[in-house]
Structure formats: C-alpha cells, structure tokens
PDB file of all heavy atoms in Angstrom:
ATOM      1  N   GLN I 208     -11.080  -6.405  19.744  1.00 92.00           N
ATOM      2  CA  GLN I 208     -12.430  -7.006  19.535  1.00 92.00           C
ATOM      3  C   GLN I 208     -13.184  -6.121  18.562  1.00 92.00           C
ATOM      4  O   GLN I 208     -14.218  -6.678  17.991  1.00 92.00           O
ATOM      5  CB  GLN I 208     -13.111  -7.309  21.034  1.00 92.00           C
ATOM      6  CG  GLN I 208     -12.462  -8.281  21.855  1.00 92.00           C
ATOM      7  CD  GLN I 208     -13.007  -8.387  23.196  1.00 92.00           C
ATOM      8  OE1 GLN I 208     -13.744  -7.453  23.558  1.00 92.00           O
ATOM      9  NE2 GLN I 208     -12.645  -9.260  23.927  1.00 92.00           N
ATOM     10  N   GLU I 209     -12.889  -4.852  18.659  1.00 90.00           N
ATOM     11  CA  GLU I 209     -13.718  -3.943  17.742  1.00 90.00           C
ATOM     12  C   GLU I 209     -13.053  -3.835  16.340  1.00 90.00           C
ATOM     13  O   GLU I 209     -13.540  -3.249  15.527  1.00 90.00           O
ATOM     14  CB  GLU I 209     -13.587  -2.537  18.208  1.00 90.00           C
ATOM     15  CG  GLU I 209     -14.393  -2.350  19.575  1.00 90.00           C
ATOM     16  CD  GLU I 209     -14.526  -0.842  19.945  1.00 90.00           C
ATOM     17  OE1 GLU I 209     -14.970   0.020  19.147  1.00 90.00           O
ATOM     18  OE2 GLU I 209     -14.082  -0.564  21.176  1.00 90.00           O
ATOM     19  N   GLY I 210     -11.946  -4.531  16.122  1.00 91.00           N
ATOM     20  CA  GLY I 210     -11.183  -4.461  14.846  1.00 91.00           C
ATOM     21  C   GLY I 210     -10.414  -3.254  14.718  1.00 91.00           C
ATOM     22  O   GLY I 210      -9.900  -2.918  13.649  1.00 91.00           O
ATOM     23  N   LEU I 211     -10.122  -2.415  15.775  1.00 94.00           N
ATOM     24  CA  LEU I 211      -9.252  -1.264  15.732  1.00 94.00           C
ATOM     25  C   LEU I 211      -7.840  -1.465  15.933  1.00 94.00           C
ATOM     26  O   LEU I 211      -7.087  -0.594  15.623  1.00 94.00           O
ATOM     27  CB  LEU I 211      -9.872  -0.142  16.614  1.00 94.00           C
ATOM     28  CG  LEU I 211     -11.256   0.262  16.225  1.00 94.00           C
ATOM     29  CD1 LEU I 211     -11.811   1.368  17.302  1.00 94.00           C
ATOM     30  CD2 LEU I 211     -11.414   0.957  14.945  1.00 94.00           C
ATOM     31  N   VAL I 212      -7.449  -2.591  16.556  1.00 95.00           N
ATOM     32  CA  VAL I 212      -6.177  -2.964  16.886  1.00 95.00           C
ATOM     33  C   VAL I 212      -6.029  -4.420  16.465  1.00 95.00           C
ATOM     34  O   VAL I 212      -7.008  -5.285  16.520  1.00 95.00           O
ATOM     35  CB  VAL I 212      -5.798  -2.855  18.317  1.00 95.00           C
ATOM     36  CG1 VAL I 212      -4.569  -3.638  18.777  1.00 95.00           C
ATOM     37  CG2 VAL I 212      -5.695  -1.370  18.609  1.00 95.00           C
ATOM     38  N   GLN I 213      -4.799  -4.724  15.868  1.00 93.00           N
ATOM     39  CA  GLN I 213      -4.560  -6.135  15.506  1.00 93.00           C
ATOM     40  C   GLN I 213      -3.208  -6.525  16.285  1.00 93.00           C
ATOM     41  O   GLN I 213      -2.326  -5.847  16.519  1.00 93.00           O
ATOM     42  CB  GLN I 213      -4.192  -6.288  14.064  1.00 93.00           C
ATOM     43  CG  GLN I 213      -5.485  -6.238  13.164  1.00 93.00           C
ATOM     44  CD  GLN I 213      -5.179  -6.378  11.687  1.00 93.00           C
ATOM     45  OE1 GLN I 213      -4.760  -5.518  10.962  1.00 93.00           O
ATOM     46  NE2 GLN I 213      -5.316  -7.688  11.363  1.00 93.00           N
ATOM     47  N   VAL I 214      -3.406  -7.819  16.890  1.00 88.00           N
ATOM     48  CA  VAL I 214      -2.265  -8.241  17.775  1.00 88.00           C
ATOM     49  C   VAL I 214      -1.651  -9.638  17.005  1.00 88.00           C
ATOM     50  O   VAL I 214      -2.348 -10.557  16.558  1.00 88.00           O
ATOM     51  CB  VAL I 214      -2.778  -8.738  19.085  1.00 88.00           C
ATOM     52  CG1 VAL I 214      -1.633  -9.302  19.874  1.00 88.00           C
ATOM     53  CG2 VAL I 214      -3.564  -7.495  19.822  1.00 88.00           C
ATOM     54  N   PHE I 215      -0.392  -9.487  16.626  1.00 88.00           N
ATOM     55  CA  PHE I 215       0.318 -10.570  15.916  1.00 88.00           C
ATOM     56  C   PHE I 215       1.181 -11.163  17.018  1.00 88.00           C
ATOM     57  O   PHE I 215       2.207 -10.582  17.417  1.00 88.00           O
ATOM     58  CB  PHE I 215       1.063 -10.029  14.802  1.00 88.00           C
ATOM     59  CG  PHE I 215       0.218  -9.356  13.679  1.00 88.00           C
ATOM     60  CD1 PHE I 215      -0.079  -8.106  13.666  1.00 88.00           C
ATOM     61  CD2 PHE I 215      -0.353 -10.143  12.796  1.00 88.00           C
ATOM     62  CE1 PHE I 215      -0.805  -7.504  12.682  1.00 88.00           C
ATOM     63  CE2 PHE I 215      -1.147  -9.709  11.835  1.00 88.00           C
ATOM     64  CZ  PHE I 215      -1.440  -8.305  11.752  1.00 88.00           C
ATOM     65  N   PRO I 216       1.087 -12.441  17.378  1.00 85.00           N
ATOM     66  CA  PRO I 216       2.048 -13.187  18.297  1.00 85.00           C
ATOM     67  C   PRO I 216       3.408 -13.165  17.788  1.00 85.00           C
ATOM     68  O   PRO I 216       3.662 -13.249  16.637  1.00 85.00           O
ATOM     69  CB  PRO I 216       1.444 -14.523  18.204  1.00 85.00           C
ATOM     70  CG  PRO I 216      -0.048 -14.495  17.889  1.00 85.00           C
ATOM     71  CD  PRO I 216      -0.108 -13.266  16.925  1.00 85.00           C
ATOM     72  N   GLN I 217       4.368 -12.896  18.870  1.00 83.00           N
ATOM     73  CA  GLN I 217       5.770 -12.739  18.554  1.00 83.00           C
ATOM     74  C   GLN I 217       6.149 -11.516  17.753  1.00 83.00           C
ATOM     75  O   GLN I 217       7.372 -11.388  17.338  1.00 83.00           O
ATOM     76  CB  GLN I 217       6.255 -14.137  17.829  1.00 83.00           C
ATOM     77  CG  GLN I 217       5.799 -15.401  18.485  1.00 83.00           C
ATOM     78  CD  GLN I 217       6.198 -15.483  19.937  1.00 83.00           C
ATOM     79  OE1 GLN I 217       7.296 -14.984  20.296  1.00 83.00           O
ATOM     80  NE2 GLN I 217       5.236 -15.852  20.808  1.00 83.00           N
ATOM     81  N   VAL I 218       5.105 -10.714  17.372  1.00 87.00           N
ATOM     82  CA  VAL I 218       5.524  -9.385  16.683  1.00 87.00           C
ATOM     83  C   VAL I 218       5.037  -8.277  17.372  1.00 87.00           C
ATOM     84  O   VAL I 218       5.911  -7.385  17.576  1.00 87.00           O
ATOM     85  CB  VAL I 218       4.830  -9.531  15.301  1.00 87.00           C
ATOM     86  CG1 VAL I 218       5.187  -8.302  14.424  1.00 87.00           C
ATOM     87  CG2 VAL I 218       5.245 -10.710  14.448  1.00 87.00           C
ATOM     88  N   GLY I 219       3.857  -8.231  17.695  1.00 89.00           N
ATOM     89  CA  GLY I 219       3.361  -6.995  18.484  1.00 89.00           C
ATOM     90  C   GLY I 219       1.981  -6.567  18.087  1.00 89.00           C
ATOM     91  O   GLY I 219       1.195  -7.198  17.388  1.00 89.00           O
ATOM     92  N   SER I 220       1.675  -5.489  18.695  1.00 92.00           N
ATOM     93  CA  SER I 220       0.235  -4.954  18.436  1.00 92.00           C
ATOM     94  C   SER I 220       0.315  -3.630  17.568  1.00 92.00           C
ATOM     95  O   SER I 220       1.315  -2.897  17.601  1.00 92.00           O
ATOM     96  CB  SER I 220      -0.454  -4.610  19.761  1.00 92.00           C
ATOM     97  OG  SER I 220      -0.585  -5.680  20.570  1.00 92.00           O
ATOM     98  N   PHE I 221      -0.707  -3.632  16.675  1.00 95.00           N
ATOM     99  CA  PHE I 221      -0.660  -2.410  15.713  1.00 95.00           C
ATOM    100  C   PHE I 221      -2.125  -1.976  15.522  1.00 95.00           C
ATOM    101  O   PHE I 221      -3.134  -2.551  15.687  1.00 95.00           O
ATOM    102  CB  PHE I 221      -0.302  -2.942  14.304  1.00 95.00           C
ATOM    103  CG  PHE I 221       1.098  -3.496  14.328  1.00 95.00           C
ATOM    104  CD1 PHE I 221       1.512  -4.710  14.750  1.00 95.00           C
ATOM    105  CD2 PHE I 221       2.115  -2.548  13.688  1.00 95.00           C
ATOM    106  CE1 PHE I 221       2.852  -5.070  14.699  1.00 95.00           C
ATOM    107  CE2 PHE I 221       3.486  -3.001  13.682  1.00 95.00           C
ATOM    108  CZ  PHE I 221       3.788  -4.275  14.145  1.00 95.00           C
ATOM    109  N   VAL I 222      -2.095  -0.521  15.376  1.00 95.00           N
ATOM    110  CA  VAL I 222      -3.498   0.082  14.942  1.00 95.00           C
ATOM    111  C   VAL I 222      -3.914  -0.575  13.566  1.00 95.00           C
ATOM    112  O   VAL I 222      -2.997  -0.643  12.680  1.00 95.00           O
ATOM    113  CB  VAL I 222      -3.360   1.630  14.844  1.00 95.00           C
ATOM    114  CG1 VAL I 222      -4.683   2.111  14.357  1.00 95.00           C
ATOM    115  CG2 VAL I 222      -2.829   2.179  16.086  1.00 95.00           C
ATOM    116  N   SER I 223      -4.991  -1.166  13.486  1.00 94.00           N
ATOM    117  CA  SER I 223      -5.365  -1.770  12.365  1.00 94.00           C
ATOM    118  C   SER I 223      -5.497  -0.784  11.192  1.00 94.00           C
ATOM    119  O   SER I 223      -5.870   0.264  11.360  1.00 94.00           O
ATOM    120  CB  SER I 223      -6.773  -2.475  12.439  1.00 94.00           C
ATOM    121  OG  SER I 223      -7.898  -1.593  12.688  1.00 94.00           O
ATOM    122  N   ARG I 224      -5.251  -1.355  10.084  1.00 93.00           N
ATOM    123  CA  ARG I 224      -5.573  -0.431   8.870  1.00 93.00           C
ATOM    124  C   ARG I 224      -7.085  -0.370   8.578  1.00 93.00           C
ATOM    125  O   ARG I 224      -7.791  -1.204   9.062  1.00 93.00           O
ATOM    126  CB  ARG I 224      -4.936  -1.071   7.529  1.00 93.00           C
ATOM    127  CG  ARG I 224      -3.381  -1.084   7.731  1.00 93.00           C
ATOM    128  CD  ARG I 224      -2.686  -1.851   6.621  1.00 93.00           C
ATOM    129  NE  ARG I 224      -1.355  -1.632   6.440  1.00 93.00           N
ATOM    130  CZ  ARG I 224      -0.467  -2.280   5.639  1.00 93.00           C
ATOM    131  NH1 ARG I 224      -0.958  -3.216   4.982  1.00 93.00           N
ATOM    132  NH2 ARG I 224       0.759  -1.985   5.606  1.00 93.00           N
ATOM    133  N   VAL I 225      -7.627   0.641   7.956  1.00 91.00           N
ATOM    134  CA  VAL I 225      -8.872   0.856   7.628  1.00 91.00           C
ATOM    135  C   VAL I 225      -9.459  -0.318   6.730  1.00 91.00           C
ATOM    136  O   VAL I 225      -8.883  -0.396   5.591  1.00 91.00           O
ATOM    137  CB  VAL I 225      -9.154   2.263   7.044  1.00 91.00           C
ATOM    138  CG1 VAL I 225     -10.639   2.358   6.669  1.00 91.00           C
ATOM    139  CG2 VAL I 225      -8.720   3.324   8.002  1.00 91.00           C
ATOM    140  N   ASP I 226     -10.383  -0.958   7.204  1.00 90.00           N
ATOM    141  CA  ASP I 226     -11.019  -2.072   6.426  1.00 90.00           C
ATOM    142  C   ASP I 226     -12.272  -1.547   5.597  1.00 90.00           C
ATOM    143  O   ASP I 226     -13.259  -1.245   6.112  1.00 90.00           O
ATOM    144  CB  ASP I 226     -11.378  -3.253   7.298  1.00 90.00           C
ATOM    145  CG  ASP I 226     -11.863  -4.435   6.664  1.00 90.00           C
ATOM    146  OD1 ASP I 226     -12.238  -4.289   5.500  1.00 90.00           O
ATOM    147  OD2 ASP I 226     -11.776  -5.482   7.259  1.00 90.00           O
ATOM    148  N   PRO I 227     -12.095  -1.582   4.325  1.00 88.00           N
ATOM    149  CA  PRO I 227     -13.201  -0.969   3.517  1.00 88.00           C
ATOM    150  C   PRO I 227     -14.498  -1.757   3.668  1.00 88.00           C
ATOM    151  O   PRO I 227     -15.554  -1.192   3.523  1.00 88.00           O
ATOM    152  CB  PRO I 227     -12.695  -1.283   2.020  1.00 88.00           C
ATOM    153  CG  PRO I 227     -11.172  -1.117   2.118  1.00 88.00           C
ATOM    154  CD  PRO I 227     -10.926  -1.720   3.436  1.00 88.00           C
ATOM    155  N   GLN I 228     -14.351  -3.104   4.005  1.00 89.00           N
ATOM    156  CA  GLN I 228     -15.658  -3.808   4.130  1.00 89.00           C
ATOM    157  C   GLN I 228     -16.322  -3.451   5.450  1.00 89.00           C
ATOM    158  O   GLN I 228     -17.570  -3.362   5.523  1.00 89.00           O
ATOM    159  CB  GLN I 228     -15.272  -5.401   4.137  1.00 89.00           C
ATOM    160  CG  GLN I 228     -16.542  -6.356   4.339  1.00 89.00           C
ATOM    161  CD  GLN I 228     -17.586  -5.945   3.088  1.00 89.00           C
ATOM    162  OE1 GLN I 228     -17.198  -6.047   1.976  1.00 89.00           O
ATOM    163  NE2 GLN I 228     -18.791  -5.701   3.519  1.00 89.00           N
ATOM    164  N   ARG I 229     -15.515  -3.140   6.473  1.00 89.00           N
ATOM    165  CA  ARG I 229     -16.159  -2.755   7.738  1.00 89.00           C
ATOM    166  C   ARG I 229     -16.648  -1.329   7.539  1.00 89.00           C
ATOM    167  O   ARG I 229     -17.695  -1.054   8.184  1.00 89.00           O
ATOM    168  CB  ARG I 229     -14.988  -2.783   8.919  1.00 89.00           C
ATOM    169  CG  ARG I 229     -14.687  -4.097   9.430  1.00 89.00           C
ATOM    170  CD  ARG I 229     -13.655  -4.006  10.493  1.00 89.00           C
ATOM    171  NE  ARG I 229     -13.334  -5.177  11.173  1.00 89.00           N
ATOM    172  CZ  ARG I 229     -13.632  -5.615  12.376  1.00 89.00           C
ATOM    173  NH1 ARG I 229     -14.733  -4.947  12.883  1.00 89.00           N
ATOM    174  NH2 ARG I 229     -13.333  -6.811  12.690  1.00 89.00           N
ATOM    175  N   VAL I 230     -15.995  -0.525   6.800  1.00 90.00           N
ATOM    176  CA  VAL I 230     -16.531   0.764   6.488  1.00 90.00           C
ATOM    177  C   VAL I 230     -17.903   0.725   5.771  1.00 90.00           C
ATOM    178  O   VAL I 230     -18.882   1.300   6.216  1.00 90.00           O
ATOM    179  CB  VAL I 230     -15.596   1.684   5.519  1.00 90.00           C
ATOM    180  CG1 VAL I 230     -16.336   2.922   5.052  1.00 90.00           C
ATOM    181  CG2 VAL I 230     -14.337   1.927   6.268  1.00 90.00           C
ATOM    182  N   ALA I 231     -18.039  -0.137   4.796  1.00 90.00           N
ATOM    183  CA  ALA I 231     -19.277  -0.499   4.082  1.00 90.00           C
ATOM    184  C   ALA I 231     -20.446  -0.940   5.091  1.00 90.00           C
ATOM    185  O   ALA I 231     -21.494  -0.546   4.916  1.00 90.00           O
ATOM    186  CB  ALA I 231     -19.015  -1.336   2.927  1.00 90.00           C
ATOM    187  N   ASP I 232     -19.987  -1.961   5.759  1.00 92.00           N
ATOM    188  CA  ASP I 232     -20.995  -2.506   6.879  1.00 92.00           C
ATOM    189  C   ASP I 232     -21.508  -1.459   7.815  1.00 92.00           C
ATOM    190  O   ASP I 232     -22.746  -1.307   8.019  1.00 92.00           O
ATOM    191  CB  ASP I 232     -20.379  -3.701   7.521  1.00 92.00           C
ATOM    192  CG  ASP I 232     -20.136  -4.824   6.702  1.00 92.00           C
ATOM    193  OD1 ASP I 232     -20.701  -4.929   5.687  1.00 92.00           O
ATOM    194  OD2 ASP I 232     -19.329  -5.755   7.148  1.00 92.00           O
ATOM    195  N   ALA I 233     -20.687  -0.675   8.296  1.00 92.00           N
ATOM    196  CA  ALA I 233     -21.034   0.413   9.300  1.00 92.00           C
ATOM    197  C   ALA I 233     -21.852   1.566   8.561  1.00 92.00           C
ATOM    198  O   ALA I 233     -22.838   2.013   9.131  1.00 92.00           O
ATOM    199  CB  ALA I 233     -19.834   1.142   9.950  1.00 92.00           C
ATOM    200  N   GLN I 234     -21.460   1.885   7.365  1.00 92.00           N
ATOM    201  CA  GLN I 234     -22.300   2.759   6.631  1.00 92.00           C
ATOM    202  C   GLN I 234     -23.693   2.276   6.241  1.00 92.00           C
ATOM    203  O   GLN I 234     -24.727   2.888   6.342  1.00 92.00           O
ATOM    204  CB  GLN I 234     -21.572   3.210   5.335  1.00 92.00           C
ATOM    205  CG  GLN I 234     -22.076   4.506   4.615  1.00 92.00           C
ATOM    206  CD  GLN I 234     -23.442   4.204   3.738  1.00 92.00           C
ATOM    207  OE1 GLN I 234     -23.579   3.143   3.412  1.00 92.00           O
ATOM    208  NE2 GLN I 234     -24.150   5.123   3.615  1.00 92.00           N
ATOM    209  N   PHE I 235     -23.819   0.907   5.931  1.00 94.00           N
ATOM    210  CA  PHE I 235     -24.962   0.398   5.795  1.00 94.00           C
ATOM    211  C   PHE I 235     -25.973   0.459   6.968  1.00 94.00           C
ATOM    212  O   PHE I 235     -27.118   0.661   6.931  1.00 94.00           O
ATOM    213  CB  PHE I 235     -24.774  -1.114   5.385  1.00 94.00           C
ATOM    214  CG  PHE I 235     -26.186  -1.956   5.167  1.00 94.00           C
ATOM    215  CD1 PHE I 235     -26.865  -1.925   4.097  1.00 94.00           C
ATOM    216  CD2 PHE I 235     -26.433  -2.741   6.265  1.00 94.00           C
ATOM    217  CE1 PHE I 235     -28.022  -2.529   4.007  1.00 94.00           C
ATOM    218  CE2 PHE I 235     -27.620  -3.437   6.101  1.00 94.00           C
ATOM    219  CZ  PHE I 235     -28.433  -3.413   5.014  1.00 94.00           C
ATOM    220  N   LEU I 236     -25.378   0.123   8.133  1.00 94.00           N
ATOM    221  CA  LEU I 236     -26.136   0.186   9.398  1.00 94.00           C
ATOM    222  C   LEU I 236     -26.615   1.524   9.653  1.00 94.00           C
ATOM    223  O   LEU I 236     -27.711   1.904  10.077  1.00 94.00           O
ATOM    224  CB  LEU I 236     -25.201  -0.296  10.544  1.00 94.00           C
ATOM    225  CG  LEU I 236     -25.863  -0.136  11.916  1.00 94.00           C
ATOM    226  CD1 LEU I 236     -27.101  -0.939  12.104  1.00 94.00           C
ATOM    227  CD2 LEU I 236     -24.882  -0.530  12.985  1.00 94.00           C
ATOM    228  N   ARG I 237     -25.660   2.607   9.538  1.00 94.00           N
ATOM    229  CA  ARG I 237     -25.993   3.973   9.733  1.00 94.00           C
ATOM    230  C   ARG I 237     -26.990   4.423   8.909  1.00 94.00           C
ATOM    231  O   ARG I 237     -27.981   5.053   9.298  1.00 94.00           O
ATOM    232  CB  ARG I 237     -24.807   4.749   9.603  1.00 94.00           C
ATOM    233  CG  ARG I 237     -24.977   6.284  10.017  1.00 94.00           C
ATOM    234  CD  ARG I 237     -23.681   7.064  10.037  1.00 94.00           C
ATOM    235  NE  ARG I 237     -24.014   8.482  10.464  1.00 94.00           N
ATOM    236  CZ  ARG I 237     -23.196   9.461  10.594  1.00 94.00           C
ATOM    237  NH1 ARG I 237     -21.928   9.200  10.243  1.00 94.00           N
ATOM    238  NH2 ARG I 237     -23.496  10.538  11.065  1.00 94.00           N
ATOM    239  N   GLU I 238     -27.014   4.109   7.520  1.00 95.00           N
ATOM    240  CA  GLU I 238     -27.945   4.535   6.708  1.00 95.00           C
ATOM    241  C   GLU I 238     -29.329   4.010   6.952  1.00 95.00           C
ATOM    242  O   GLU I 238     -30.407   4.747   6.844  1.00 95.00           O
ATOM    243  CB  GLU I 238     -27.649   4.241   5.248  1.00 95.00           C
ATOM    244  CG  GLU I 238     -28.443   4.713   4.107  1.00 95.00           C
ATOM    245  CD  GLU I 238     -28.085   4.488   2.691  1.00 95.00           C
ATOM    246  OE1 GLU I 238     -26.720   4.546   2.409  1.00 95.00           O
ATOM    247  OE2 GLU I 238     -28.748   4.052   1.935  1.00 95.00           O
ATOM    248  N   ALA I 239     -29.366   2.761   7.287  1.00 95.00           N
ATOM    249  CA  ALA I 239     -30.701   1.990   7.620  1.00 95.00           C
ATOM    250  C   ALA I 239     -31.292   2.711   8.814  1.00 95.00           C
ATOM    251  O   ALA I 239     -32.489   2.987   8.754  1.00 95.00           O
ATOM    252  CB  ALA I 239     -30.421   0.646   7.813  1.00 95.00           C
ATOM    253  N   VAL I 240     -30.500   2.978   9.752  1.00 96.00           N
ATOM    254  CA  VAL I 240     -31.013   3.597  11.065  1.00 96.00           C
ATOM    255  C   VAL I 240     -31.550   5.028  10.743  1.00 96.00           C
ATOM    256  O   VAL I 240     -32.617   5.382  11.159  1.00 96.00           O
ATOM    257  CB  VAL I 240     -30.085   3.528  12.195  1.00 96.00           C
ATOM    258  CG1 VAL I 240     -30.513   4.360  13.330  1.00 96.00           C
ATOM    259  CG2 VAL I 240     -29.786   2.103  12.535  1.00 96.00           C
ATOM    260  N   GLU I 241     -30.695   5.839  10.157  1.00 96.00           N
ATOM    261  CA  GLU I 241     -30.918   7.235  10.045  1.00 96.00           C
ATOM    262  C   GLU I 241     -32.096   7.540   9.135  1.00 96.00           C
ATOM    263  O   GLU I 241     -32.778   8.463   9.323  1.00 96.00           O
ATOM    264  CB  GLU I 241     -29.615   7.991   9.775  1.00 96.00           C
ATOM    265  CG  GLU I 241     -28.687   7.941  10.885  1.00 96.00           C
ATOM    266  CD  GLU I 241     -27.671   9.047  10.780  1.00 96.00           C
ATOM    267  OE1 GLU I 241     -28.076  10.235  10.587  1.00 96.00           O
ATOM    268  OE2 GLU I 241     -26.466   8.849  11.009  1.00 96.00           O
TER     269      GLU I 241
END
C-alpha cells in the first residue's frame, strides 16, 4: 500500500524499485513543510 513492495499474481512479491516520481512527490511535500 505504501508502494515499497509489489505483488504479482502467480509470480510473487518483490521489493519495489525506486520510483523517481514518488521521490519527487515526497521531496515536494518535505520541502513545502520544512
């Protein structure tokens, strides 16, 4: 649900790759707050 793990039916669960868009969104939030 946090996007840190991905589950693929009939294949398995994997640690998600780093998503640059999620990085940008989190950095935007952090910058705005701080």
Side-chain angles (χ1 to χ4, degrees):
Q208 292 172 353
E209 290 185 58
L211 296 175
V212 165
Q213 286 183 277
V214 180
F215 297 93
Q217 309 306 315
V218 178
S220 298
F221 295 78
V222 177
S223 67
R224 291 170 170 173
V225 176
D226 185 335
Q228 185 57 54
R229 285 179 178 263
V230 172
D232 289 344
Q234 194 279 337
F235 173 80
L236 172 64
R237 184 174 186 184
E238 183 175 316
V240 170
E241 295 201 46

